[in-house]
Amino acid sequence: METVIQQSVEAQLVAAAPRMATIPARLRYDRTEPFAVTMTFPARSTLEGVEVTWSFARDLLTAGLTGEAGMGDVRLRPHGEDQVVMEFHAPEGTAVVRVRAEELRRFAARTIALVPPGREYLHLDLDRDLALLIRDTR
């Protein structure tokens, strides 16, 4: 059975310039971390010139498909019928991209098929996580 889902998406960088740059990005979901998804941007698309990965709640992704979602570092909202605006807030600044809603819907549906909402606890390894916490306090 599949344990990791990855999907490439095209993100359009929203900037002051009339033409928006298209950035390849990668969405990832691992059922061993069932509450989170990640979105990775390649080094060539970042100011620092290093790959950047944002981690956020899967629930935030699904909520952002139909309405404004998020109050922290990652925020999403629909933009028209076919796009979702994603904002990534960091001390260095804010990046705003638009992604086709269908790409995000397809990815979310695949994660839900793998781990249905409310069943995430079945995929947590609490013994391992507790051992890591105890090890880190020594």
Side-chain angles (χ1 to χ4, degrees):
M1 173 178 252
E2 187 175 41
T3 61
V4 175
I5 296 170
Q6 295 191 83
Q7 180 178 315
S8 296
V9 296
E10 289 186 9
Q12 288 183 317
L13 182 62
V14 177
R19 181 174 164 93
M20 292 181 283
T22 300
I23 302 168
R26 185 178 65 250
L27 291 165
R28 185 175 192 276
Y29 179 78
D30 184 338
R31 76 174 180 182
T32 65
E33 296 180 23
F35 293 102
V37 297
T38 61
M39 188 167 194
T40 301
F41 296 93
R44 66 180 175 80
S45 67
T46 68
L47 294 174
E48 296 81 19
V50 296
E51 183 177 88
V52 173
T53 298
W54 289 84
S55 182
F56 51 96
R58 177 175 71 166
D59 288 349
L60 175 64
L61 175 65
T62 57
L65 291 169
T66 58
E68 288 190 29
M71 298 179 354
D73 295 342
V74 180
R75 303 173 192 170
L76 286 79
R77 66 182 180 279
H79 182 75
E81 293 289 319
D82 61 345
Q83 293 186 333
V84 173
V85 172
M86 303 179 79
E87 296 179 12
F88 301 94
H89 297 262
E92 301 81 19
T94 300
V96 180
V97 298
R98 289 196 294 214
V99 179
R100 287 192 300 265
E102 185 53 39
E103 291 184 86
L104 297 179
R105 278 191 208 95
R106 185 175 53 240
F107 177 75
R110 291 174 64 204
T111 72
I112 289 167
L114 184 62
V115 179
R119 310 289 285 175
E120 293 93 348
Y121 71 93
L122 295 172
H123 302 279
L124 296 174
D125 186 347
L126 297 178
D127 291 333
R128 183 202 69 207
D129 294 342
L130 183 57
L132 289 172
L133 285 172
I134 291 170
R135 185 194 71 200
D136 290 343
T137 60
R138 293 181 185 169

